[in-house]
Amino acid sequence: MWHHYHHDLDARIRLLIITQFYPPDYAATGQLIEELAIKLSQKEFKVHVFTGQPGYAFSTASAPKYEQIHQLSIQRSQISRFWSQRIRGKALNGLLFCLRAVLHMVRAAMHHDIAVLTTAPPYLPVLGYFARRLLGLRYICLVYDLYPDVAVRLGVLKPNHRLTNLWRWINCKVWGQAEQIIVLSSTIRDHIVQNYGIPAHRISVIHSWSDPNLVVPRPKSDNWFAQRHGLDRTFTVLYSGNMGRCHDLETVMATAKLLQHEQVRFVFVGDGAKRSLCMQLAEDYGLQNCLFLPYQDKQDLPYSLTACDLSLVSLSRGMEGLLAPSKLYGCLAAGRPVAVICDDRSYLKDLVTEAECGEAFQQGDREGLAAFILHLMANPQRVEAMGQAGRTYLEHHFTPDIIAEHYAQVICRSAGRSRRPQLLPSAAPQRQAVPVSDRLD
């Protein structure tokens, strides 16, 4: 019996995941990687995570160097974080983590079958290229945000700057050696195909997810978060998550101004570069209908996400195809309608249309968003129907088990292992690639 058990362990695919962010960090990417690592370790994988010390945790400045949870092991770099809220500090922290990860990969390469490298920090996948060329370790790139393209869109880098061109050349080299590239939306895949020349068959679209067992719809009358903040007495519009420069919050604030005399409350939960801008706009406009709250502990999310009547998800103009907001999936799990602010060609518009769980509005369309909010206020049965439709759609497409199975299939195929895939529901709607001349990005 012992020999059989030993053989079973040996048959497991030894998976190395390298990512800078991991709980107790509250960064969404870290939370998702933790859930994915746990799910994969419950399948045919022996998972080892190498990560950094928390830089965005509530009260924890450090975390254990080693943790072991059945077939999941976690090792954290002992390098502390510096100035995590500043761009230069983030760049320095990312560089220091990469240097530490190089040493770890040299030691770990012979003990693993394949590695998954995230774009946290953006230049981390470069390590995979050298590990493949020098150590023979296969790797998969998990692309969250597409750099340097995001930096160019934000005006941090010029389109033809030497660093921009070098970065794009490096991306082509790194992706060319990768077994597979995983992206979070069909429009990110299309952007890579059209702007980097990577064949579409080498890119897998796997969405983010939310656990419908963790976030469960609940009435405000049974929600301490809603009652604590007086949200049980008014129609509540919620924006929860990163309030960064890639997200269109200006349209939200303009809508709040339009509706300042209506019985509606705009609640912002989170932090980021645009939080202070939104607070300043609320002050300048003299708005009394806006509430700003910090990030919530993970155990409080089931209450904060359900303390509203409408959830918001947004992308700034020009960001389509460069990143995919993970906050959408928690909104769906909460069983609330979703209003997405995005380009007309966005996968977000396709998704809410397919799911019949909300409406999409172009950036700057404050009148359209305000009219939708007033419509929902006057039609509570519509709120209920849209919310339930979104949750049902999530349960069929974006649960941890479904998404982990998609990852398992890609990893097994990339590691050269055959695997009988489980039966899964049909995938979310995917846009077809269109000619470069028809694209804005």
Side-chain angles (χ1 to χ4, degrees):
M1 183 179 293
W2 185 89
H3 290 291
H4 175 75
Y5 176 72
H6 184 67
H7 175 75
D8 183 57
L9 283 183
D10 286 345
R12 286 179 174 267
I13 293 176
R14 300 167 300 173
L15 173 65
L16 170 64
I17 299 175
I18 300 185
T19 183
Q20 186 178 3
F21 302 113
Y22 197 86
D25 263 320
Y26 55 68
T29 52
Q31 301 277 357
L32 291 171
I33 280 290
E34 178 190 40
E35 293 177 16
L36 177 63
I38 291 171
K39 286 293 180 183
L40 291 176
S41 71
Q42 294 167 353
K43 294 178 179 285
E44 64 269 43
F45 300 93
K46 188 173 185 180
V47 184
H48 176 67
V49 176
F50 181 74
T51 186
Q53 284 294 330
Y56 300 90
F58 292 101
S59 57
T60 310
S62 62
K65 185 175 181 180
Y66 297 103
E67 288 185 83
Q68 183 75 42
I69 308 167
H70 302 299
Q71 294 300 315
L72 169 62
S73 63
I74 303 150
Q75 182 175 343
R76 293 180 175 88
S77 163
Q78 291 303 96
I79 297 175
S80 299
R81 302 276 182 87
F82 304 95
W83 313 299
S84 292
Q85 301 299 329
R86 298 183 179 180
I87 291 177
R88 289 182 181 178
K90 289 178 181 178
L92 175 60
N93 291 331
L95 181 60
L96 291 174
F97 176 74
C98 282
L99 293 174
R100 181 66 184 82
V102 167
L103 300 176
H104 188 80
M105 284 194 79
V106 169
R107 292 198 299 267
M110 67 179 67
H111 303 296
H112 292 87
D113 301 303
I114 193 164
V116 171
L117 295 102
T118 72
T119 51
Y123 27 87
L124 181 62
V126 174
L127 274 59
Y129 175 84
F130 289 107
R132 176 64 167 158
R133 297 299 297 268
L134 302 177
L135 305 172
L137 179 63
R138 300 180 181 189
Y139 67 96
I140 295 168
C141 292
L142 174 50
V143 178
Y144 293 131
D145 304 332
L146 195 56
Y147 281 88
D149 306 59
V150 169
V152 171
R153 287 281 186 234
L154 292 175
V156 177
L157 284 176
K158 287 184 168 45
N160 293 315
H161 192 278
R162 288 181 181 177
L163 179 57
T164 304
N165 293 330
L166 174 64
W167 203 330
R168 285 177 172 152
W169 178 81
I170 289 173
N171 281 346
C172 288
K173 289 291 185 183
V174 170
W175 294 338
Q177 287 291 314
E179 299 297 321
Q180 193 75 186
I181 305 160
I182 296 175
V183 297
L184 305 184
S185 80
S186 55
T187 47
I188 297 178
R189 176 200 59 203
D190 295 348
H191 184 92
I192 292 176
V193 169
Q194 294 161 19
N195 292 274
Y196 288 88
I198 303 296
H201 69 84
R202 303 196 60 246
I203 307 173
S204 297
V205 179
I206 307 180
H207 286 251
S208 292
W209 63 90
S210 184
D211 188 349
N213 297 316
L214 173 67
V215 180
V216 179
R218 67 181 67 242
K220 292 183 182 181
S221 59
D222 187 33
N223 188 327
W224 62 262
F225 186 92
Q227 294 169 16
R228 173 181 294 178
H229 299 289
L231 308 180
D232 55 333
R233 299 188 297 272
T234 183
F235 190 93
T236 304
V237 180
L238 173 68
Y239 182 95
S240 177
N242 181 24
M243 301 173 69
R245 290 187 291 172
C246 297
H247 302 282
D248 179 3
L249 292 164
E250 292 84 350
T251 301
V252 179
M253 294 306 300
T255 305
K257 184 181 179 183
L258 268 184
L259 298 177
Q260 60 182 316
H261 301 303
E262 302 290 341
Q263 292 299 311
V264 57
R265 195 89 180 274
F266 288 79
V267 180
F268 301 84
V269 177
D271 204 349
K274 283 190 177 179
R275 188 176 195 267
S276 58
L277 168 66
C278 291
M279 296 179 74
Q280 186 61 51
L281 287 173
E283 185 177 336
D284 293 345
Y285 296 158
L287 301 182
Q288 302 299 314
N289 60 346
C290 293
L291 174 65
F292 296 90
L293 299 171
Y295 276 114
Q296 302 299 301
D297 278 315
K298 187 174 182 179
Q299 62 264 28
D300 293 338
L301 285 178
Y303 300 93
S304 64
L305 290 177
T306 55
C308 68
D309 302 283
L310 173 67
S311 293
L312 299 176
V313 176
S314 72
L315 281 178
S316 294
R317 198 180 303 277
M319 286 296 163
E320 187 59 50
L322 305 184
L323 70 159
S326 59
K327 62 174 66 67
L328 168 68
Y329 306 90
C331 298
L332 297 178
R336 299 295 187 265
V338 183
V340 295
I341 302 170
C342 61
D343 293 349
D344 256 348
R345 60 202 171 84
S346 175
Y347 79 99
L348 292 169
K349 182 176 181 178
D350 288 350
L351 197 153
V352 297
T353 301
E354 170 88 5
E356 299 181 342
C357 65
E359 295 284 347
F361 303 91
Q362 284 193 305
Q363 293 92 348
D365 186 10
R366 60 176 186 166
E367 291 85 2
L369 179 56
F372 181 58
I373 292 170
L374 292 174
H375 169 73
L376 292 181
M377 289 175 65
N379 296 276
Q381 73 283 358
R382 188 95 168 109
V383 174
E384 182 70 24
M386 281 187 165
Q388 184 55 55
R391 182 171 170 87
T392 300
Y393 196 80
L394 175 105
E395 291 171 342
H396 285 86
H397 297 279
F398 307 130
T399 67
D401 286 324
I402 291 171
I403 298 300
E405 177 60 24
H406 287 309
Y407 272 91
Q409 291 177 24
V410 172
I411 294 168
C412 285
R413 189 167 66 245
S414 299
R417 300 283 187 93
S418 59
R419 183 171 195 274
R420 180 178 298 171
Q422 297 178 8
L423 290 176
L424 294 171
S426 57
Q430 309 238 331
R431 276 193 180 278
Q432 295 298 314
V434 297
V436 178
S437 59
D438 294 340
R439 297 299 296 265
L440 299 179
D441 55 349

